[in-house]
Amino acid sequence: MTEALPSMRRRIPSLIPSLIPSLISSWTGLACLASLMGLFAGCAVFEPTPAPRGEAKSAPVTSGELAQSDVNRMATLGMKENLDTLLRLADKLYRRNPAEWRKTSALGREDALAQVQKAIESRQPWPGLQGQRDIKALSLALSPDFKGDRVAAFVIANADMLIAAHGDKTTFYLIDGLDAQHIFNAARNVEAAVWLLGSRRNTSGQPLLLADEINAQERNLSYEREFGKIIGRLDLLSAVVTEKYRRAAISYVQNLLGGTFLQFLPVR
């Protein structure tokens, strides 16, 4: 049956023009025509969409989602993706800057990454950041005279800043509120941090960290693309949160006016 569907789909369009005149002559014919068009549309469902670069996947349903609105769920997924992106960036930065993880007690790059992930998930202060949090920690990580593991400091400071902008939470429910301006500001902070990382030099005149590179031999902008994903998610969430409250106000006015002017009139 499945194998026959593609051939049916190819034959149906050629048959429809010849059948239309007879079908539209009666209501029964119109119903048959509608059913035929539905069959034609349904055939397309059985053909899988090509996915040469991966498939869109959904997360498993959990009981906690019952206490989440659409915006709550979007914010939760966005936060997870942003933190995962920061960990990918930490891996990429450690690969280009292995001297950074060697400044710590880590046994290797994977061990250093595990320590960074643990610090982000537990939100424990990173020793090299001297107790600073969010934007103050980010400023310290980008300081030219910073002597510690700059990769860890930079990534952890960014993660802490993002979580702070979301009300110090990574999962959101109906009782939680989000400040659109804080999220918008977080996006601008990431933009500034990326620019400083690429333009500022340390006390020895060297780049703070090796990241994007454009020269005659190669063109590597993968770091900028990853940071761009974070910025895009933050800007979209900020817009959605703003729209949520705007639509709530409009709906209130519509209901108020509707209660006065859109009442049903008696017919008996």
Side-chain angles (χ1 to χ4, degrees):
M1 176 64 181
T2 304
E3 292 76 8
L5 286 172
S7 60
M8 289 174 60
R9 187 185 176 197
R10 288 192 296 269
R11 293 174 59 189
I12 288 174
S14 62
L15 294 174
I16 288 178
S18 60
L19 294 174
I20 286 178
S22 58
L23 289 175
I24 64 175
S25 60
S26 65
W27 287 107
T28 304
L30 287 174
C32 292
L33 179 60
S35 300
L36 190 60
M37 295 301 294
L39 175 62
F40 174 57
C43 289
V45 175
F46 292 93
E47 286 195 3
T49 302
R53 299 185 181 180
E55 297 181 1
K57 298 180 180 179
S58 61
V61 178
T62 63
S63 58
E65 291 182 44
L66 296 175
Q68 289 182 319
S69 66
D70 290 345
V71 176
N72 294 149
R73 188 61 183 161
M74 178 181 177
T76 299
L77 292 175
M79 175 61 74
K80 179 182 181 303
E81 289 299 321
N82 285 338
L83 296 182
D84 287 347
T85 297
L86 284 173
L87 288 173
R88 283 197 300 272
L89 283 163
D91 186 25
K92 291 166 67 67
L93 288 168
Y94 272 142
R95 289 176 185 273
R96 289 213 68 190
N97 304 269
E100 298 301 317
W101 66 259
R102 293 192 176 103
K103 297 176 182 178
T104 70
S105 60
L107 301 177
R109 179 175 52 81
E110 292 80 4
D111 187 31
L113 281 171
Q115 293 181 19
V116 171
Q117 182 174 2
K118 182 179 179 180
I120 292 174
E121 292 176 350
S122 65
R123 299 208 70 196
Q124 294 298 316
W126 185 254
L129 291 173
Q130 304 170 15
Q132 301 296 330
R133 305 303 294 261
D134 53 81
I135 57 175
K136 291 183 178 179
L138 196 53
S139 296
L140 180 59
L142 292 167
S143 173
D145 57 357
F146 183 79
K147 302 300 183 184
D149 178 354
R150 196 184 296 275
V151 170
F154 180 71
V155 170
I156 292 171
N158 266 291
D160 194 59
M161 184 270 296
L162 293 183
I163 296 173
H166 289 71
D168 290 315
K169 297 178 180 179
T170 57
T171 305
F172 307 91
Y173 298 98
L174 292 171
I175 60 173
D176 298 322
L178 290 168
D179 189 307
Q181 189 61 50
H182 287 167
I183 298 170
F184 179 87
N185 291 348
R188 306 290 77 76
N189 289 341
V190 174
E191 287 178 338
V194 174
W195 185 83
L196 290 171
L197 185 67
S199 61
R200 187 172 283 182
R201 297 291 184 268
N202 60 23
T203 53
S204 302
Q206 301 297 318
L208 299 182
L209 290 172
L210 295 176
D212 289 326
E213 186 172 358
I214 301 177
N215 54 45
Q217 286 75 36
E218 62 178 332
R219 181 183 178 87
N220 180 7
L221 298 176
S222 59
Y223 299 85
E224 185 172 338
R225 284 197 295 271
E226 293 292 346
F227 280 115
K229 293 177 184 178
I230 296 175
I231 295 167
R233 293 187 197 109
L234 293 172
D235 278 336
L236 178 58
L237 180 59
S238 175
V240 169
V241 171
T242 302
E243 182 73 6
K244 170 187 174 183
Y245 294 115
R246 190 180 74 88
R247 290 304 307 172
I250 292 174
S251 297
Y252 175 79
V253 174
Q254 288 174 337
N255 292 335
L256 188 64
L257 293 176
T260 305
F261 300 110
L262 300 179
Q263 295 182 2
F264 288 114
L265 300 177
V267 296
R268 292 180 184 271

